[in-house]
Structures are given as structure tokens and as C-alpha cells.
Amino acid sequence: MALEWFKLDLLSSGNPRSHPLWMDDWTEFIIELQSTFSPHNPVTDAKNQLDHLQMKENQQINKYVVKFNQLTSQVRGYGDGALHHQFYSGLSDHIKDEICCIGKPCNLDNLHYLS
């Protein structure tokens, strides 16, 4: 996608004085790249990733917990109940089955520990 964005300027054989500033300046290139392709709102991006976070069946729980904690550190406004729901919803089915046999903890800390 980035190549397509920059391709027209890179392939143009026009006047060198009329080409974009980023073609001669690394800092300007980075600014252009970030302003065009980075998330416009990192908090919204983290919320979206959190809403779609799913543990894979063969994934270790620690990897899921680390990613969950990374995303929750970037968002605000989620209470313990909402985070508890998000965490549980993203767990793999075999872990949810185990939790159902034992009993689902009422808070996020205990759910982390049990998982």
C-alpha cells in the first residue's frame, strides 16, 4: 500500500525542483509516511484491537494476557466489569470450558489468575 502511495512521485521524470520535499529529506519522508499510514487515533485503534482480540486455540495464555494488558494500558473508561467481559470473551474455547467447570470468577484479577 505504501509503495502505491509513493509510486507516482518516485517514477515521475519531471522537473527535480517540483518533486515533493520528502524525496530529498529523510525526516520529511518519515513525517509523510507516519501522517499517511499511522493510526490517526491510537486510542481508538487500541480499543478496536481489544474488541477483536481472540486467543487462538494453540496459543499460550501468557501471550494472550500480555497482549490484553498492552491494549488495556492504552485505553481509558473501561471498568473492571467491561474488562472482565472482554478478557473472558477473547479466551479460547477450551479455557472457557475449564473455567465453566470450576466457576467463573467475579473480577478480572481472579480471572487472570485462574486462566
Side-chain angles (χ1 to χ4, degrees), residues 18-87:
S18 67
H19 67 265
L21 183 59
W22 59 260
M23 288 181 81
D24 295 324
D25 186 321
W26 177 254
T27 303
E28 288 297 323
F29 174 74
I30 296 300
I31 290 169
E32 181 75 16
L33 194 63
Q34 289 176 335
S35 66
T36 304
F37 296 104
S38 66
H40 298 288
N41 186 335
V43 173
T44 301
D45 187 48
K47 285 181 179 181
N48 188 41
Q49 288 182 46
L50 185 61
D51 289 342
H52 295 94
L53 183 63
Q54 284 294 130
M55 181 181 172
K56 295 169 181 58
E57 286 298 324
N58 60 350
Q59 183 180 11
Q60 292 185 359
I61 186 68
N62 291 342
K63 188 173 181 179
Y64 175 75
V65 170
V66 166
K67 185 65 175 176
F68 181 85
N69 288 337
Q70 175 196 13
L71 293 171
T72 57
S73 70
Q74 299 174 44
V75 298
R76 300 285 178 256
Y78 282 76
D80 189 64
L83 292 175
H84 180 274
H85 173 75
Q86 287 293 134
F87 184 83

